[in-house]
Amino acid sequence: MTSTTAVSRPPAAMPLVGHYVPEILSLARRGLVWAVLYGTFARASRGGCVPLNDSVEPVCYNATLDPSPFTWFVMALLFVIALGSAAKATRTAVINRTLRIAATALWAVPLLAAVLALTSFLTASPEALWNGLPPANVTVQLTSD
């Protein structure tokens, strides 16, 4: 008498990241808010007229700072990397840490980029705008009256 026993496999476990969908959606919303805030507040313009040397006609300038698309790319890359790391994690502590680090990076990156851009833009002397290289993402137009 032979008996056949069926070998049963345990059901495939649902990936741990599936339990964190609300946190992932919250992370995406916060990242989007910071991306919009960066796009809104990383803009500036300034202009004026400055006499060059002893010339009669002053040189007028208008400098415009625009947000960098590179910052948005870095934010998107951080989000995708965080999701990939969370999806591969096998412990809830690792997923929590990954999402917490990603949340911090998604506000720190655009804030740092905006502060650095605005600081370099506002502290640049007008002469540096046409005698040297303007700060990143700055468009300079020169005219003479």
Side-chain angles (χ1 to χ4, degrees):
M1 176 159 126
T2 53
S3 75
T4 48
T5 57
V7 177
S8 63
R9 293 184 185 175
M14 181 178 170
L16 284 176
V17 77
H19 297 288
Y20 287 89
V21 170
E23 288 86 355
I24 292 170
L25 291 175
S26 174
L27 178 67
R29 281 191 295 270
R30 283 182 282 174
L32 184 60
V33 166
W34 279 104
V36 169
L37 288 174
Y38 169 71
T40 302
F41 292 109
R43 296 183 185 277
S45 67
R46 72 185 239 204
C49 294
V50 177
L52 280 182
N53 299 330
D54 292 327
S55 66
V56 179
E57 294 184 18
V59 173
C60 297
Y61 68 95
N62 183 23
T64 305
L65 172 70
D66 291 319
S68 171
F70 181 71
T71 301
W72 287 315
F73 175 75
V74 168
M75 291 177 69
L77 189 64
L78 285 170
F79 182 76
V80 169
I81 290 172
L83 285 183
S85 295
K88 292 176 187 173
T90 57
R91 295 185 337 206
T92 58
V94 174
I95 295 173
N96 284 331
R97 187 183 64 214
T98 301
L99 295 178
R100 190 174 57 249
I101 290 170
T104 302
L106 285 179
W107 68 260
V109 166
L111 185 63
L112 181 64
V115 167
L116 290 175
L118 287 171
T119 301
S120 67
F121 178 75
L122 295 175
T123 58
S125 67
E127 292 82 15
L129 293 175
W130 56 79
N131 288 337
L133 294 174
N137 300 325
V138 175
T139 305
V140 179
Q141 297 174 346
L142 299 176
T143 59
S144 58
D145 288 338

